[in-house]
Amino acid sequence: MLESFHKILAYPSGDNIEYIAFFASESEALRYAQDRDAESNDSENIFTFTKYGSGYGVSGCTTSDYAVAVPEMHDGLPVTHIYSNSFVSASILKYLYIPPTVTSIQAGAFDSTANFKLAGISGSTAEAYAKSVGMDFIAVTTPSDFVIEVENKTAKIVKYTGTSSNVVLPLFYNGYKITDIGNGAFEGNTKIRSVTVVYCIEWIGDHAFASTSITSASLGESVKYIGKSAFAECTSLSSLSMPSVRSIGDFAFFNCRSLSGISLPASTESIGLRAFAKTALKTVTLPANLYAVNRYAFLNCSSLSAIYVDASNSKFSSENGILYDYSKKNVYICPEGKTGTVTLNSKTETVGRGAFINCDRLSTVNLSNVSTINSMAFYDCDALSTVDVQKTVFIVNDYAFTECIGLMSVEFSNNLESIGDHAFAYCNLENIVLGNRS
């Protein structure tokens, strides 16, 4: 599972850096694995079972978990009843799933003063009871609409086989928490319009919802990891909620071209390659705990005019909507929606790889005290006509100004040490001055 983090930990040095990542040690990445190893709830061990008619009733729930399921079966017989006062000791419980086998719930089992919500199948006894006592009820899609696998006491959704267009993912399967949505579980499904994760699911696999017709995704407070291309090519996706996500994988929301706004929670720590490329985002605020963002995370976002950074973030900073490192010595990403003139901070020494790529509405860039312009820094800046490089620029790397078709003249000082291959390829340069060496 750590493979997705090794590429961050083991990023190459120099101008070829793809991830902007800051780790104190490998233990920061290992934490992800440790979180995934947390023990799941064993429903059999937290209830007292009493023979009730032709089945069993449950009482005396003792749990320190946020989500619990009443078991469907016990000793080969169905669980059909819930006794009163069964959950008085479940003080931190947030969600209680009641299976359709339960056909009677004794008065006083729980009521509107309970701190948790009931979940179950639409039309079930649980729903009727919740309505009668004024409790919140969440109707989930029946587990029979999915192919589900159980391994190591947790369940994973492998495939959606149902026909409903609005899917509310179940929390449990045969008493086991559903913690994962498998790779490609919904991929290519053109019937679904919305997906809701209530709780328990932590991991959304690669391509899980890729190329579907969803317009809305509510990922709930349990979702921590969104895999590669999980929602790629969901061109109708316009509403997205992910309140507790930690890691957003490569291409996760690639070409979600209807997505114009996102809220990244404080929990977000890493954003992968082209995670939001080709979306309609207008502005983005990077949260306090973010320590890794791929420099092409927002590539081809032509409407993106500003990237802001939470003031508490110790790795990144922002000025005039442009992303820098915390010290502002390195500029990382200029949003492609920037127009007119940009002046870099006077502390800035390096323009990062691809920092201004596709900024085709910029006309002038004042580099202030920049000494190094890295590869593809201004690639395809069509309207760029003026770049102030006379004072301090020492190094211009490969493809730095390739396809800047509006750039007709550039003048360097005697400080210039090197110009990389194809640095000005496909420009319309009529004049270039290399200090006294023109």
Side-chain angles (χ1 to χ4, degrees):
M1 187 186 72
L2 290 176
E3 289 178 358
S4 59
F5 300 98
H6 284 166
K7 62 185 175 187
I8 300 176
L9 288 163
Y11 57 79
S13 60
D15 187 35
N16 292 322
I17 290 176
E18 290 294 331
Y19 275 81
I20 307 157
F22 301 86
F23 286 87
S25 68
E26 190 169 353
S27 62
E28 293 185 26
L30 289 172
R31 186 176 68 253
Y32 290 93
Q34 293 165 352
D35 287 348
R36 300 277 291 164
D37 290 337
E39 289 186 7
S40 61
N41 177 58
D42 185 350
S43 298
E44 285 288 312
N45 297 327
I46 63 172
F47 288 100
T48 299
F49 294 90
T50 304
K51 197 74 170 61
Y52 184 86
S54 59
Y56 280 93
V58 293
S59 62
C61 177
T62 56
T63 182
S64 58
D65 208 337
Y66 291 125
V68 166
V70 172
E72 294 186 30
M73 305 288 292
H74 179 70
D75 283 347
L77 295 175
V79 174
T80 61
H81 182 72
I82 299 176
Y83 290 97
S84 62
N85 299 316
S86 293
F87 296 90
V88 292
S89 298
S91 58
I92 69 167
L93 187 62
K94 291 184 177 181
Y95 301 96
L96 172 64
Y97 175 75
I98 300 177
T101 57
V102 172
T103 55
S104 63
I105 301 174
Q106 189 172 352
F110 27 73
D111 57 29
S112 59
T113 64
N115 294 323
F116 55 87
K117 297 179 181 180
L118 297 184
I121 306 303
S122 179
S124 64
T125 298
E127 183 177 25
Y129 185 91
K131 184 177 181 180
S132 70
V133 298
M135 287 187 71
D136 290 332
F137 180 80
I138 302 166
V140 302
T141 304
T142 177
S144 63
D145 281 353
F146 303 88
V147 177
I148 300 176
E149 294 179 351
V150 176
E151 184 178 355
N152 297 327
K153 292 188 177 183
T154 60
K156 176 173 70 175
I157 292 174
V158 176
K159 191 74 176 177
Y160 177 59
T161 57
T163 58
S164 175
S165 60
N166 300 308
V167 178
V168 181
L169 296 171
L171 289 74
F172 290 87
Y173 174 70
N174 289 343
Y176 295 105
K177 282 184 179 179
I178 299 174
T179 60
D180 291 47
I181 301 175
N183 296 344
F186 292 78
E187 186 172 10
N189 189 308
T190 58
K191 294 180 181 179
I192 61 171
R193 295 293 180 268
S194 69
V195 60
T196 299
V197 174
V198 178
Y199 203 71
C200 294
I201 292 172
E202 299 178 4
W203 191 283
I204 297 178
D206 298 348
H207 302 272
F209 294 93
S211 302
T212 60
S213 299
I214 62 171
T215 61
S216 173
S218 178
L219 303 185
E221 62 182 307
S222 62
V223 173
K224 302 296 189 292
Y225 312 98
I226 299 175
K228 294 178 182 178
S229 302
F231 293 87
E233 305 289 350
C234 291
T235 56
S236 298
L237 180 64
S238 59
S239 176
L240 173 65
S241 172
M242 42 185 183
S244 299
V245 70
R246 288 184 183 176
S247 174
I248 301 172
D250 298 348
F251 296 89
F253 297 94
F254 177 80
N255 200 29
C256 292
R257 56 181 182 238
S258 299
L259 189 62
S260 60
I262 57 170
S263 177
L264 295 172
S267 56
T268 309
E269 297 176 343
S270 64
I271 302 173
L273 171 68
R274 300 193 184 189
F276 293 97
K278 300 184 73 174
T279 61
L281 296 179
K282 294 177 173 61
T283 63
V284 172
T285 298
L286 304 183
N289 294 317
L290 188 83
Y291 55 72
V293 57
N294 186 281
R295 63 178 67 255
Y296 300 127
F298 305 103
L299 189 67
N300 299 124
C301 293
S302 59
S303 297
L304 186 63
S305 61
I307 299 173
Y308 303 112
V309 178
D310 186 285
S312 299
N313 191 295
S314 62
K315 309 300 181 184
F316 299 103
S317 62
S318 176
E319 183 174 283
N320 298 322
I322 297 173
L323 183 66
Y324 295 81
D325 69 348
Y326 185 76
S327 69
K328 292 190 170 66
K329 290 184 178 181
N330 302 282
V331 58
Y332 288 143
I333 304 175
C334 178
E336 293 174 27
K338 277 286 184 184
T339 61
T341 298
V342 165
T343 299
L344 297 183
N345 186 279
S346 60
K347 297 178 182 178
T348 304
E349 300 172 357
T350 301
V351 179
R353 177 183 175 91
F356 290 82
I357 193 170
N358 295 339
C359 290
D360 55 10
R361 283 169 280 179
L362 286 182
S363 58
T364 303
V365 177
N366 297 317
L367 297 179
S368 302
N369 295 310
V370 166
S371 60
T372 301
I373 301 173
N374 276 324
S375 297
M376 302 179 72
F378 295 94
Y379 189 95
D380 201 22
C381 294
D382 291 349
L384 188 63
S385 59
T386 303
V387 182
D388 175 16
V389 294
Q390 294 188 50
K391 299 177 181 178
T392 59
V393 173
F394 289 85
I395 298 170
V396 179
N397 279 313
D398 300 346
Y399 301 95
F401 294 92
T402 296
E403 295 193 24
C404 292
I405 59 177
L407 192 61
M408 302 183 71
S409 178
V410 63
E411 182 176 350
F412 293 94
S413 73
N414 288 333
N415 292 323
L416 182 68
E417 295 178 358
S418 66
I419 297 178
D421 293 342
H422 312 289
F424 294 93
Y426 305 106
C427 295
N428 291 317
L429 280 177
E430 295 178 354
N431 182 48
I432 182 167
V433 177
L434 305 175
N436 296 328
R437 300 163 289 184
S438 58

